[in-house]
Amino acid sequence: MAISQQSVQRILLLPATLWLLVMLILPLIVVVIFSFGERGAAGGYVPGFTLEQYANLPARLTAFKNTLLLAPAGTLASLLIAYPLAYYLAVKVNPKLRTVLLVMIIVPFWTSILIRTYAWIYILGGQGLPRLLDFIGIEGIRLINTPTAVLVGIIYGYLPLMVFPIYVSLEKLDKRLLEASQDLGASPFKTFCNVTLPLSLPGVATGCMLVFILLMGEFLIPALLGGGKVFFIGNALVDLFLQSRNWAYGSAVAATLVVIMLITVSIYMKLILRHAKQRQDISVL
Amino acid sequence: MRLYAITIYLFLYLPIAIIVMFSFNAGRHASDFTGFSIKWYGKVLANPFAMEALATSLMVAFITAVCASVFGTMAALGLQRISGRLRAIFDAVIYIAIMIPGIVIGIATLITLVTVFNFINPALVTIWPVWLGEPPKLNMGYVSLIAAHTMFTMALVIVIVRTRISGMDRTLIEASSDLYASPWRTFWQITFPQIFPAILAGFLLSFTFSFDDFIIAFFVAGSQTTLPIYVFSSIRRGVTPEINAIGTMILTFTLTLLISAQFLLRRRDKSVNLKPQ
């Protein structure tokens, strides 16, 4: 007896659907519900409907401020460092070497961020770089447990994620446009500003969005390199859920984090769509 | 320009090199390299806490990878012919699963499961037949950890396998059904060999993700300790050469898996087995 096509389809999709409903959609709804509740006497959550938790958000202002300051700063720094490298990989490098170099960029990103961040405790700690700087005469530099250390950790951790989208957009770029610009007498710098850079903007936007979104939820880098002095929303969340067990307030913080992320993504989508439309207009002309 | 690229690659790999180097340091201190020794590896292997954490991590990662690749592949196949609204909803949910920060997944899963368990546990006590003995108590642990990891990695597998399916040669499937092969046989002899590299790559990436994940496990592992959780709490107590040895082992292990996955995803597998069996 043949089973109908449709029921095969249903059976195939059933486990994934159930899993996503129970382990993703339900928990996200629970966070939203809890964020309107109250804190129990012994921690946890008591049902209710109040905006108190959201009104209390400024109590964790430092975490929000740090995150909203260091996440964009880290994104920008990664962009400035990644762009020349992506350009080099897409335009300058020998194609035979390219694949190896690309894999070498992405592999660290997929290995343990914990171990890679831990390495920087060594490097930035008292026995590492500061001692080296001491040796050449620059004294009294403290690196570990400062915003600088967190920033270095961020750049180190997220650089690969920035390089890749920019590389893809530069690689797709029609090289004849560059030749045309050159033939028309534009200087290399002018060609870069007027042709290369605008056409690589979608990659830049994608890279910035990916890095920014991941940074918003970062916990490990500030926890290990910021030493409790530089903390992010992620660190506040760990504290709220695992130490003070204030679930209602923690849920409000988490929901706010997701909302900030959603706003970022929608701005990004708008930019990308407008850009795509512009390009279409140009091609019509 | 080339110099710049070399500097960046040094920046990316030097920290890893330092960890590997100091894991072979005979001395205790990070400040100076006093000689080559593998004693820290011996110490790690003799450390029951580290070994137990390793066993937990390996088991969780393996089960996660199996569940994620089986259910993810099934969903990718099922999504093939679905279109319209349902497809859009599915795409959106997969997108959310990948985009939501791990920390939010961790806390959301924690509070949801704890709340659900608080409902179920008393109910279990009342309905549990006496002759079965003590009623089981649901708690955070292996199952919640595997469930949370599978949710995320399954979304990853769906994306990877779907990409492969859309790049697949459809004519072979049509030829197969024209030759009166059953859909089941067509699947195993035509479709499966073509998407297998993608499934295996998805399996390896899922394994790596689960094995390396710290933040989700930190919330949902209950009283279980995975290797990243063990390493994190050891770092909190101070930097020791033992952590370097564990780190080197983790890096070697995940690098091996990753390079296999990269290799599988890049290989253009055109060798579909058409020989009669």
Side-chain angles (χ1 to χ4, degrees):
Chain A
M1 199 185 81
I3 314 166
S4 80
Q5 186 96 53
Q6 208 173 10
S7 48
V8 170
Q9 212 98 76
R10 278 201 193 127
I11 295 166
L12 285 173
L13 284 172
L14 188 70
T17 312
L18 277 180
W19 216 292
L20 289 168
L21 278 178
V22 175
M23 295 304 294
L24 180 69
I25 305 300
L26 176 71
L28 290 179
I29 294 171
V30 168
V31 167
V32 174
I33 295 174
F34 276 30
S35 73
F36 292 107
E38 279 163 60
R39 180 177 191 226
Y45 159 81
V46 175
F49 187 81
T50 163
L51 289 172
E52 196 189 321
Q53 311 305 339
Y54 286 97
N56 263 335
L57 283 181
R60 293 279 173 169
L61 197 63
T62 332
F64 277 99
K65 254 188 0 212
N66 279 337
T67 312
L68 288 176
L69 211 75
L70 280 171
T75 310
L76 187 68
S78 311
L79 172 64
L80 293 178
I81 296 174
Y83 199 98
L85 182 67
Y87 185 82
Y88 175 76
L89 289 173
V91 182
K92 301 273 181 194
V93 90
N94 175 356
K96 267 189 209 152
L97 229 108
R98 189 178 287 153
T99 318
V100 178
L101 288 177
L102 282 172
V103 172
M104 276 179 72
I105 292 277
I106 202 69
V107 158
F109 182 73
W110 269 95
T111 58
S112 169
I113 181 87
L114 175 64
I115 302 295
R116 288 188 302 130
T117 309
Y118 160 75
W120 285 94
I121 299 183
Y122 253 72
I123 298 169
L124 299 176
Q127 304 294 331
L129 259 184
R131 206 171 82 142
L132 216 69
L133 290 173
D134 226 34
F135 201 69
I136 56 168
I138 307 165
E139 279 174 43
I141 299 273
R142 242 182 78 85
L143 286 171
I144 193 86
N145 301 346
T146 62
T148 315
V150 176
L151 202 60
V152 171
I154 287 172
I155 296 171
Y156 182 66
Y158 290 103
L159 194 64
L161 208 57
M162 188 65 95
V163 173
F164 245 76
I166 301 177
Y167 164 80
V168 170
S169 69
L170 283 171
E171 209 238 335
K172 275 194 299 201
L173 190 144
D174 191 343
K175 304 286 184 300
R176 286 174 305 179
L177 288 173
L178 303 181
E179 282 162 26
S181 171
Q182 207 180 359
D183 289 349
L184 291 169
S187 67
F189 180 70
K190 215 169 168 191
T191 303
F192 177 78
C193 290
N194 288 339
V195 183
T196 315
L197 190 62
L199 288 175
S200 65
L201 279 185
V204 170
T206 307
C208 287
M209 189 202 59
L210 287 175
V211 172
F212 183 75
I213 282 185
L214 283 175
L215 276 179
M216 292 292 296
E218 186 57 51
F219 162 78
L220 270 179
I221 296 173
L224 293 179
L225 301 177
K229 291 192 188 74
V230 186
F231 46 87
F232 275 29
I233 300 174
N235 306 72
L237 285 172
V238 167
D239 174 52
L240 284 169
F241 281 93
L242 297 180
Q243 259 97 49
S244 46
R245 276 181 47 84
N246 193 344
W247 287 8
Y249 183 54
S251 297
V253 174
T256 312
L257 172 68
V258 173
V259 168
I260 296 176
M261 274 180 41
L262 287 179
I263 294 172
T264 318
V265 175
S266 52
I267 293 174
Y268 159 80
M269 287 293 191
K270 251 201 191 123
L271 281 176
I272 285 288
L273 286 180
R274 199 204 291 161
H275 190 86
K277 206 165 158 271
Q278 260 175 13
R279 274 180 102 169
Q280 247 167 21
D281 293 346
I282 293 168
S283 64
V284 167
L285 291 172
Chain B
M1 201 76 189
R2 176 183 280 172
L3 197 71
Y4 180 80
I6 293 172
T7 317
I8 302 285
Y9 279 94
L10 276 179
F11 172 68
L12 283 176
Y13 282 90
L14 208 59
I16 298 175
I18 287 175
I19 294 228
V20 175
M21 192 179 89
F22 276 102
S23 75
F24 293 110
N25 186 8
R28 251 215 102 75
H29 295 290
S31 44
D32 22 41
F33 197 87
T34 46
F36 181 87
S37 156
I38 54 163
K39 72 172 172 191
W40 302 113
Y41 288 88
K43 274 218 151 150
V44 172
L45 295 176
N47 176 343
F49 298 109
M51 285 299 110
E52 208 188 305
L54 172 69
T56 306
S57 278
L58 284 175
M59 190 196 72
V60 168
F62 181 74
I63 301 176
T64 296
V66 170
C67 293
S69 26
V70 171
F71 299 141
T73 305
M74 281 169 69
L77 288 167
L79 282 171
Q80 228 181 321
R81 279 185 224 95
I82 280 186
S83 53
R85 200 120 160 236
L86 201 63
R87 172 79 181 237
I89 294 173
F90 232 95
D91 282 349
V93 172
I94 292 167
Y95 189 63
I96 291 173
I98 292 175
M99 277 317 220
I100 288 276
I103 194 162
V104 176
I105 292 179
I107 57 176
T109 311
L110 170 78
I111 59 177
T112 307
L113 292 184
V114 167
T115 310
V116 170
F117 292 166
N118 281 346
F119 270 108
I120 293 179
N121 281 333
L124 266 181
V125 173
T126 44
I127 62 162
W128 199 253
V130 182
W131 53 271
L132 270 176
E134 272 296 290
K137 195 167 183 298
L138 298 179
N139 232 324
M140 305 299 281
Y142 292 120
V143 178
S144 54
L145 185 52
I146 290 166
H149 278 176
T150 301
M151 192 282 294
F152 175 81
T153 50
M154 190 178 66
L156 222 57
V157 173
I158 294 177
V159 173
I160 294 172
V161 174
R162 209 163 61 174
T163 314
R164 183 81 188 192
I165 290 175
S166 62
M168 213 167 60
D169 192 353
R170 294 227 152 256
T171 49
L172 286 172
I173 295 173
E174 283 157 24
S176 170
S177 55
D178 286 350
L179 293 168
Y180 301 108
S182 67
W184 185 247
R185 194 158 166 206
T186 304
F187 173 76
W188 284 112
Q189 285 196 305
I190 308 292
T191 314
F192 187 73
Q194 288 197 70
I195 61 172
F196 183 67
I199 300 173
L200 202 57
F203 178 91
L204 294 176
L205 287 180
S206 304
F207 191 99
T208 316
F209 170 84
S210 172
F211 189 74
D212 278 346
D213 167 69
F214 166 76
I215 195 70
I216 297 178
F218 198 41
F219 285 100
V220 304
S223 57
Q224 302 301 331
T225 303
T226 63
L227 199 55
I229 294 178
Y230 176 79
V231 171
F232 180 77
S233 47
S234 307
I235 295 173
R236 279 277 160 105
R237 275 182 262 121
V239 172
T240 67
E242 239 186 297
I243 306 175
N244 295 335
I246 298 180
T248 305
M249 291 194 267
I250 295 180
L251 288 175
T252 319
F253 184 61
T254 47
L255 277 182
T256 316
L257 290 183
L258 280 166
I259 290 167
S260 331
Q262 284 280 354
F263 179 74
L264 287 167
L265 275 179
R266 271 164 199 282
R267 195 175 64 170
R268 296 206 161 242
D269 191 25
K270 292 277 173 198
S271 59
V272 180
N273 190 2
L274 291 172
K275 274 176 265 161
Q277 282 170 353

